[in-house]
Amino acid sequence: QVQLVESGGGLVQAGGSLRLSCAASGRTFSSYAVGWFRQAPGKERDFVAAISRRNSATYYADSMRSRFIISRDNAKNTVYLQMNSLKPEDTAVYYCAADSSVNYYNNYQEYGYWGQGTQVTVSS
């Protein structure tokens, strides 16, 4: 079982950057794929980025590929999401999710473990 805790959210001006962290409990974190999703008020949960459990292959939503970077440090049981050139439309609650078996990284239903979320607000 894995417990996830996100941090690093906050208020930033458009064009700024934030780095989100997803800290996991458990000694087998390296065996879990991790994804980031976001949800704005009144909208569906959207895929942001994911990183695989084995070779740390990365996957991105098209609109974020050039601005966001996902990485993991298995020694620290942490996955990061570096967000650059932030836009007001990036405002949302950001969630990290993990699972030991993920086939479709952009499908939130594939992830069995979720954090509580961290708010990101981008002002114009």
Side-chain angles (χ1 to χ4, degrees):
Q1 191 165 348
V2 175
Q3 292 184 326
L4 305 174
V5 178
E6 302 97 333
S7 62
L11 174 64
V12 64
Q13 288 187 334
S17 298
L18 283 174
R19 188 177 79 159
L20 305 184
S21 298
C22 174
S25 63
R27 294 177 293 177
T28 60
F29 180 62
S30 60
S31 299
Y32 289 78
V34 177
W36 284 97
F37 293 81
R38 69 185 187 184
Q39 190 165 19
K43 295 188 177 181
E44 295 184 349
R45 188 168 300 187
D46 290 334
F47 170 70
V48 175
I51 189 163
S52 69
R53 61 176 181 153
R54 291 181 176 176
N55 59 0
S56 293
T58 57
Y59 308 87
Y60 296 93
D62 288 342
S63 62
M64 299 157 209
R65 187 181 306 276
S66 62
R67 300 185 295 125
F68 293 3
I69 301 171
I70 188 171
S71 61
R72 68 188 303 161
D73 185 339
N74 289 329
K76 295 183 178 179
N77 278 9
T78 302
V79 169
Y80 304 98
L81 183 69
Q82 177 68 42
M83 306 188 296
N84 302 317
S85 302
L86 285 163
K87 305 174 182 179
E89 50 263 44
D90 293 318
T91 295
V93 177
Y94 283 70
Y95 299 90
C96 70
D99 206 283
S100 59
S101 179
V102 176
N103 292 312
Y104 297 97
Y105 290 93
N106 60 347
N107 183 359
Y108 72 90
Q109 294 179 319
E110 296 246 358
Y111 297 84
Y113 302 99
W114 290 82
Q116 83 289 349
T118 185
Q119 176 71 47
V120 171
T121 303
V122 184
S123 64
S124 58

